[in-house]
Amino acid sequence: MTIRKVLLVDDEDDIRTIGHLSLSRVGGWQTVLAASGAEALTKAATEQPDLILLDVMMPGMDGPTTLGQLRAQESTAKTPVIFMTANIQKQEVARYLELGAVGVIGKPFDPMTLPAEIKRLLPPT
């Protein structure tokens, strides 16, 4: 799968800043940022990212709810989503995969290896 544009959704400023640097400088991808599930829905529809990195725990609309809404929109129904969370227990990861995520990345993540971790989780082209 070819990645050109990634939407990073996280309510924490630091995560968005570090993630943006990692995805753009290390990964070489155009990066769009969103601070909430609602903002993610709007930006995903307008920006049409190749991949969405989605925080699980956010105020308002959490990650699983946001994923459900993304799947309900025709323009984002098939966009791959990878959850990011500090809670990477086996049963939680299994639940996120059942919801339709292609993978789960633990937080805190290593900015130098994040793009490689993303590529490892995505289906081959």
Side-chain angles (χ1 to χ4, degrees), residues 70-102:
L70 288 164
R71 293 294 174 252
Q73 292 181 8
E74 189 176 332
S75 63
T76 56
K78 297 196 182 327
T79 306
V81 171
I82 295 175
F83 277 123
M84 295 192 313
T85 181
N87 186 3
I88 53 172
Q89 296 169 355
K90 281 186 181 175
Q91 67 271 24
E92 289 298 314
V93 170
R95 183 171 81 87
Y96 301 142
L97 296 176
E98 284 174 16
L99 291 172
V102 296

mmCIF file of all heavy atoms in Angstrom, residues 70-102:
data_model
loop_
_atom_site.group_PDB
_atom_site.id
_atom_site.type_symbol
_atom_site.label_atom_id
_atom_site.label_comp_id
_atom_site.label_asym_id
_atom_site.label_seq_id
_atom_site.Cartn_x
_atom_site.Cartn_y
_atom_site.Cartn_z
ATOM 1 N N LEU A 70 -16.372 7.049 10.731
ATOM 2 C CA LEU A 70 -15.581 7.035 9.492
ATOM 3 C C LEU A 70 -16.079 5.942 8.550
ATOM 4 O O LEU A 70 -16.172 6.154 7.336
ATOM 5 C CB LEU A 70 -14.099 6.805 9.809
ATOM 6 C CG LEU A 70 -13.365 7.972 10.463
ATOM 7 C CD1 LEU A 70 -12.044 7.492 11.068
ATOM 8 C CD2 LEU A 70 -13.129 9.106 9.461
ATOM 9 N N ARG A 71 -16.404 4.779 9.098
ATOM 10 C CA ARG A 71 -16.897 3.672 8.281
ATOM 11 C C ARG A 71 -18.274 3.977 7.685
ATOM 12 O O ARG A 71 -18.634 3.448 6.642
ATOM 13 C CB ARG A 71 -16.953 2.379 9.098
ATOM 14 C CG ARG A 71 -15.582 1.866 9.490
ATOM 15 C CD ARG A 71 -14.796 1.425 8.263
ATOM 16 N NE ARG A 71 -13.436 1.056 8.564
ATOM 17 C CZ ARG A 71 -12.360 1.783 8.239
ATOM 18 N NH1 ARG A 71 -12.503 2.938 7.613
ATOM 19 N NH2 ARG A 71 -11.146 1.368 8.526
ATOM 20 N N ALA A 72 -19.040 4.846 8.344
ATOM 21 C CA ALA A 72 -20.381 5.204 7.865
ATOM 22 C C ALA A 72 -20.341 6.232 6.733
ATOM 23 O O ALA A 72 -21.318 6.387 6.008
ATOM 24 C CB ALA A 72 -21.224 5.735 9.024
ATOM 25 N N GLN A 73 -19.209 6.935 6.596
ATOM 26 C CA GLN A 73 -19.065 7.916 5.512
ATOM 27 C C GLN A 73 -18.519 7.204 4.282
ATOM 28 O O GLN A 73 -17.493 6.529 4.350
ATOM 29 C CB GLN A 73 -18.079 9.035 5.895
ATOM 30 C CG GLN A 73 -18.535 9.953 6.984
ATOM 31 C CD GLN A 73 -17.495 11.049 7.263
ATOM 32 O OE1 GLN A 73 -16.512 11.210 6.552
ATOM 33 N NE2 GLN A 73 -17.730 11.802 8.325
ATOM 34 N N GLU A 74 -19.170 7.396 3.151
ATOM 35 C CA GLU A 74 -18.737 6.725 1.930
ATOM 36 C C GLU A 74 -17.283 7.054 1.577
ATOM 37 O O GLU A 74 -16.508 6.180 1.180
ATOM 38 C CB GLU A 74 -19.651 7.112 0.767
ATOM 39 C CG GLU A 74 -19.415 6.306 -0.476
ATOM 40 C CD GLU A 74 -20.385 6.643 -1.593
ATOM 41 O OE1 GLU A 74 -21.520 7.069 -1.306
ATOM 42 O OE2 GLU A 74 -19.984 6.477 -2.756
ATOM 43 N N SER A 75 -16.888 8.315 1.777
ATOM 44 C CA SER A 75 -15.544 8.748 1.378
ATOM 45 C C SER A 75 -14.430 8.158 2.239
ATOM 46 O O SER A 75 -13.276 8.121 1.824
ATOM 47 C CB SER A 75 -15.455 10.273 1.395
ATOM 48 O OG SER A 75 -15.663 10.762 2.704
ATOM 49 N N THR A 76 -14.760 7.691 3.456
ATOM 50 C CA THR A 76 -13.727 7.153 4.354
ATOM 51 C C THR A 76 -14.017 5.713 4.780
ATOM 52 O O THR A 76 -13.322 5.178 5.640
ATOM 53 C CB THR A 76 -13.598 8.036 5.615
ATOM 54 O OG1 THR A 76 -14.880 8.129 6.255
ATOM 55 C CG2 THR A 76 -13.090 9.422 5.268
ATOM 56 N N ALA A 77 -14.997 5.094 4.178
ATOM 57 C CA ALA A 77 -15.414 3.750 4.597
ATOM 58 C C ALA A 77 -14.295 2.721 4.493
ATOM 59 O O ALA A 77 -14.235 1.778 5.284
ATOM 60 C CB ALA A 77 -16.625 3.301 3.779
ATOM 61 N N LYS A 78 -13.399 2.899 3.532
ATOM 62 C CA LYS A 78 -12.345 1.910 3.321
ATOM 63 C C LYS A 78 -10.945 2.415 3.688
ATOM 64 O O LYS A 78 -9.959 1.710 3.490
ATOM 65 C CB LYS A 78 -12.368 1.448 1.866
ATOM 66 C CG LYS A 78 -13.667 0.757 1.493
ATOM 67 C CD LYS A 78 -13.538 -0.015 0.226
ATOM 68 C CE LYS A 78 -14.784 -0.696 -0.252
ATOM 69 N NZ LYS A 78 -15.718 -1.191 0.675
ATOM 70 N N THR A 79 -10.843 3.616 4.242
ATOM 71 C CA THR A 79 -9.539 4.158 4.629
ATOM 72 C C THR A 79 -8.977 3.353 5.791
ATOM 73 O O THR A 79 -9.643 3.195 6.818
ATOM 74 C CB THR A 79 -9.666 5.643 5.044
ATOM 75 O OG1 THR A 79 -10.292 6.369 3.991
ATOM 76 C CG2 THR A 79 -8.294 6.244 5.334
ATOM 77 N N PRO A 80 -7.750 2.824 5.667
ATOM 78 C CA PRO A 80 -7.164 2.063 6.772
ATOM 79 C C PRO A 80 -6.978 2.942 8.015
ATOM 80 O O PRO A 80 -6.576 4.104 7.907
ATOM 81 C CB PRO A 80 -5.806 1.618 6.236
ATOM 82 C CG PRO A 80 -5.865 1.796 4.769
ATOM 83 C CD PRO A 80 -6.872 2.865 4.503
ATOM 84 N N VAL A 81 -7.283 2.364 9.172
ATOM 85 C CA VAL A 81 -7.141 3.063 10.450
ATOM 86 C C VAL A 81 -6.256 2.228 11.361
ATOM 87 O O VAL A 81 -6.449 1.010 11.486
ATOM 88 C CB VAL A 81 -8.515 3.294 11.118
ATOM 89 C CG1 VAL A 81 -8.355 3.826 12.536
ATOM 90 C CG2 VAL A 81 -9.364 4.250 10.285
ATOM 91 N N ILE A 82 -5.279 2.890 11.986
ATOM 92 C CA ILE A 82 -4.454 2.265 13.012
ATOM 93 C C ILE A 82 -4.711 3.015 14.316
ATOM 94 O O ILE A 82 -4.602 4.243 14.360
ATOM 95 C CB ILE A 82 -2.956 2.335 12.656
ATOM 96 C CG1 ILE A 82 -2.667 1.512 11.390
ATOM 97 C CG2 ILE A 82 -2.096 1.835 13.836
ATOM 98 C CD1 ILE A 82 -1.235 1.622 10.888
ATOM 99 N N PHE A 83 -5.090 2.272 15.346
ATOM 100 C CA PHE A 83 -5.310 2.897 16.651
ATOM 101 C C PHE A 83 -3.980 3.118 17.360
ATOM 102 O O PHE A 83 -3.048 2.330 17.213
ATOM 103 C CB PHE A 83 -6.192 2.020 17.540
ATOM 104 C CG PHE A 83 -7.662 2.166 17.302
ATOM 105 C CD1 PHE A 83 -8.436 1.073 16.965
ATOM 106 C CD2 PHE A 83 -8.279 3.396 17.430
ATOM 107 C CE1 PHE A 83 -9.807 1.208 16.762
ATOM 108 C CE2 PHE A 83 -9.645 3.543 17.228
ATOM 109 C CZ PHE A 83 -10.406 2.446 16.890
ATOM 110 N N MET A 84 -3.907 4.194 18.130
ATOM 111 C CA MET A 84 -2.770 4.461 19.010
ATOM 112 C C MET A 84 -3.311 4.531 20.436
ATOM 113 O O MET A 84 -4.274 5.241 20.695
ATOM 114 C CB MET A 84 -2.103 5.787 18.650
ATOM 115 C CG MET A 84 -1.465 5.783 17.284
ATOM 116 S SD MET A 84 -0.399 7.201 16.998
ATOM 117 C CE MET A 84 -1.382 8.564 17.539
ATOM 118 N N THR A 85 -2.676 3.762 21.337
ATOM 119 C CA THR A 85 -3.163 3.722 22.709
ATOM 120 C C THR A 85 -2.075 3.259 23.665
ATOM 121 O O THR A 85 -1.162 2.535 23.256
ATOM 122 C CB THR A 85 -4.395 2.779 22.828
ATOM 123 O OG1 THR A 85 -4.855 2.782 24.167
ATOM 124 C CG2 THR A 85 -4.055 1.357 22.408
ATOM 125 N N ALA A 86 -2.188 3.689 24.901
ATOM 126 C CA ALA A 86 -1.276 3.209 25.938
ATOM 127 C C ALA A 86 -1.722 1.837 26.448
ATOM 128 O O ALA A 86 -0.949 1.102 27.040
ATOM 129 C CB ALA A 86 -1.228 4.208 27.092
ATOM 130 N N ASN A 87 -2.981 1.492 26.201
ATOM 131 C CA ASN A 87 -3.553 0.230 26.672
ATOM 132 C C ASN A 87 -3.446 -0.818 25.569
ATOM 133 O O ASN A 87 -4.335 -0.938 24.735
ATOM 134 C CB ASN A 87 -5.015 0.447 27.076
ATOM 135 C CG ASN A 87 -5.625 -0.791 27.708
ATOM 136 O OD1 ASN A 87 -4.956 -1.800 27.900
ATOM 137 N ND2 ASN A 87 -6.911 -0.716 28.014
ATOM 138 N N ILE A 88 -2.337 -1.563 25.578
ATOM 139 C CA ILE A 88 -2.127 -2.549 24.515
ATOM 140 C C ILE A 88 -2.201 -3.981 25.040
ATOM 141 O O ILE A 88 -1.457 -4.854 24.635
ATOM 142 C CB ILE A 88 -0.796 -2.299 23.756
ATOM 143 C CG1 ILE A 88 0.375 -2.198 24.716
ATOM 144 C CG2 ILE A 88 -0.894 -1.086 22.873
ATOM 145 C CD1 ILE A 88 1.721 -2.154 24.038
ATOM 146 N N GLN A 89 -3.149 -4.216 25.956
ATOM 147 C CA GLN A 89 -3.394 -5.573 26.433
ATOM 148 C C GLN A 89 -4.027 -6.370 25.301
ATOM 149 O O GLN A 89 -4.756 -5.818 24.469
ATOM 150 C CB GLN A 89 -4.317 -5.546 27.648
ATOM 151 C CG GLN A 89 -3.708 -4.829 28.838
ATOM 152 C CD GLN A 89 -4.729 -4.590 29.937
ATOM 153 O OE1 GLN A 89 -5.911 -4.867 29.785
ATOM 154 N NE2 GLN A 89 -4.271 -4.049 31.050
ATOM 155 N N LYS A 90 -3.770 -7.686 25.292
ATOM 156 C CA LYS A 90 -4.207 -8.536 24.181
ATOM 157 C C LYS A 90 -5.702 -8.413 23.877
ATOM 158 O O LYS A 90 -6.093 -8.313 22.720
ATOM 159 C CB LYS A 90 -3.854 -9.995 24.447
ATOM 160 C CG LYS A 90 -2.415 -10.322 24.175
ATOM 161 C CD LYS A 90 -2.152 -11.805 24.323
ATOM 162 C CE LYS A 90 -0.679 -12.072 24.060
ATOM 163 N NZ LYS A 90 -0.331 -13.470 24.291
ATOM 164 N N GLN A 91 -6.537 -8.421 24.933
ATOM 165 C CA GLN A 91 -7.979 -8.377 24.688
ATOM 166 C C GLN A 91 -8.400 -7.022 24.102
ATOM 167 O O GLN A 91 -9.333 -6.950 23.297
ATOM 168 C CB GLN A 91 -8.796 -8.735 25.927
ATOM 169 C CG GLN A 91 -8.725 -7.748 27.080
ATOM 170 C CD GLN A 91 -7.586 -8.044 28.051
ATOM 171 O OE1 GLN A 91 -6.595 -8.672 27.701
ATOM 172 N NE2 GLN A 91 -7.727 -7.580 29.285
ATOM 173 N N GLU A 92 -7.722 -5.950 24.502
ATOM 174 C CA GLU A 92 -8.033 -4.629 23.938
ATOM 175 C C GLU A 92 -7.629 -4.560 22.472
ATOM 176 O O GLU A 92 -8.372 -4.075 21.628
ATOM 177 C CB GLU A 92 -7.341 -3.519 24.743
ATOM 178 C CG GLU A 92 -7.921 -3.294 26.112
ATOM 179 C CD GLU A 92 -9.377 -2.849 26.071
ATOM 180 O OE1 GLU A 92 -9.720 -1.950 25.282
ATOM 181 O OE2 GLU A 92 -10.181 -3.416 26.832
ATOM 182 N N VAL A 93 -6.426 -5.041 22.168
ATOM 183 C CA VAL A 93 -5.956 -5.055 20.774
ATOM 184 C C VAL A 93 -6.912 -5.881 19.915
ATOM 185 O O VAL A 93 -7.300 -5.456 18.825
ATOM 186 C CB VAL A 93 -4.512 -5.598 20.681
ATOM 187 C CG1 VAL A 93 -4.103 -5.836 19.234
ATOM 188 C CG2 VAL A 93 -3.540 -4.638 21.365
ATOM 189 N N ALA A 94 -7.330 -7.038 20.420
ATOM 190 C CA ALA A 94 -8.265 -7.890 19.676
ATOM 191 C C ALA A 94 -9.576 -7.149 19.415
ATOM 192 O O ALA A 94 -10.138 -7.233 18.316
ATOM 193 C CB ALA A 94 -8.523 -9.184 20.444
ATOM 194 N N ARG A 95 -10.057 -6.404 20.403
ATOM 195 C CA ARG A 95 -11.306 -5.649 20.231
ATOM 196 C C ARG A 95 -11.156 -4.586 19.154
ATOM 197 O O ARG A 95 -12.038 -4.412 18.314
ATOM 198 C CB ARG A 95 -11.711 -5.009 21.559
ATOM 199 C CG ARG A 95 -13.038 -4.261 21.493
ATOM 200 C CD ARG A 95 -13.505 -3.828 22.873
ATOM 201 N NE ARG A 95 -12.870 -2.630 23.338
ATOM 202 C CZ ARG A 95 -13.326 -1.397 23.060
ATOM 203 N NH1 ARG A 95 -14.392 -1.224 22.308
ATOM 204 N NH2 ARG A 95 -12.700 -0.342 23.542
ATOM 205 N N TYR A 96 -10.022 -3.880 19.151
ATOM 206 C CA TYR A 96 -9.803 -2.824 18.151
ATOM 207 C C TYR A 96 -9.718 -3.414 16.742
ATOM 208 O O TYR A 96 -10.225 -2.828 15.784
ATOM 209 C CB TYR A 96 -8.543 -2.017 18.463
ATOM 210 C CG TYR A 96 -8.584 -1.354 19.827
ATOM 211 C CD1 TYR A 96 -7.439 -1.274 20.606
ATOM 212 C CD2 TYR A 96 -9.767 -0.830 20.344
ATOM 213 C CE1 TYR A 96 -7.472 -0.679 21.861
ATOM 214 C CE2 TYR A 96 -9.812 -0.242 21.598
ATOM 215 C CZ TYR A 96 -8.653 -0.165 22.356
ATOM 216 O OH TYR A 96 -8.701 0.416 23.595
ATOM 217 N N LEU A 97 -9.099 -4.578 16.625
ATOM 218 C CA LEU A 97 -9.020 -5.232 15.317
ATOM 219 C C LEU A 97 -10.411 -5.684 14.868
ATOM 220 O O LEU A 97 -10.745 -5.582 13.687
ATOM 221 C CB LEU A 97 -8.042 -6.409 15.366
ATOM 222 C CG LEU A 97 -6.578 -6.035 15.643
ATOM 223 C CD1 LEU A 97 -5.723 -7.287 15.774
ATOM 224 C CD2 LEU A 97 -6.018 -5.102 14.587
ATOM 225 N N GLU A 98 -11.220 -6.172 15.804
ATOM 226 C CA GLU A 98 -12.593 -6.577 15.480
ATOM 227 C C GLU A 98 -13.420 -5.385 15.001
ATOM 228 O O GLU A 98 -14.310 -5.538 14.160
ATOM 229 C CB GLU A 98 -13.280 -7.199 16.703
ATOM 230 C CG GLU A 98 -12.837 -8.599 16.996
ATOM 231 C CD GLU A 98 -13.422 -9.143 18.293
ATOM 232 O OE1 GLU A 98 -14.408 -8.561 18.808
ATOM 233 O OE2 GLU A 98 -12.884 -10.147 18.788
ATOM 234 N N LEU A 99 -13.128 -4.198 15.532
ATOM 235 C CA LEU A 99 -13.849 -2.987 15.109
ATOM 236 C C LEU A 99 -13.472 -2.560 13.697
ATOM 237 O O LEU A 99 -14.143 -1.724 13.095
ATOM 238 C CB LEU A 99 -13.552 -1.828 16.075
ATOM 239 C CG LEU A 99 -14.137 -1.950 17.474
ATOM 240 C CD1 LEU A 99 -13.610 -0.832 18.371
ATOM 241 C CD2 LEU A 99 -15.664 -1.923 17.431
ATOM 242 N N GLY A 100 -12.368 -3.108 13.178
ATOM 243 C CA GLY A 100 -11.985 -2.795 11.809
ATOM 244 C C GLY A 100 -10.658 -2.086 11.646
ATOM 245 O O GLY A 100 -10.282 -1.713 10.532
ATOM 246 N N ALA A 101 -9.921 -1.890 12.743
ATOM 247 C CA ALA A 101 -8.593 -1.283 12.621
ATOM 248 C C ALA A 101 -7.644 -2.303 11.983
ATOM 249 O O ALA A 101 -7.808 -3.506 12.166
ATOM 250 C CB ALA A 101 -8.069 -0.870 13.989
ATOM 251 N N VAL A 102 -6.654 -1.797 11.232
ATOM 252 C CA VAL A 102 -5.674 -2.701 10.624
ATOM 253 C C VAL A 102 -4.537 -3.014 11.592
ATOM 254 O O VAL A 102 -3.744 -3.911 11.345
ATOM 255 C CB VAL A 102 -5.110 -2.155 9.295
ATOM 256 C CG1 VAL A 102 -6.212 -2.043 8.249
ATOM 257 C CG2 VAL A 102 -4.400 -0.841 9.479
#
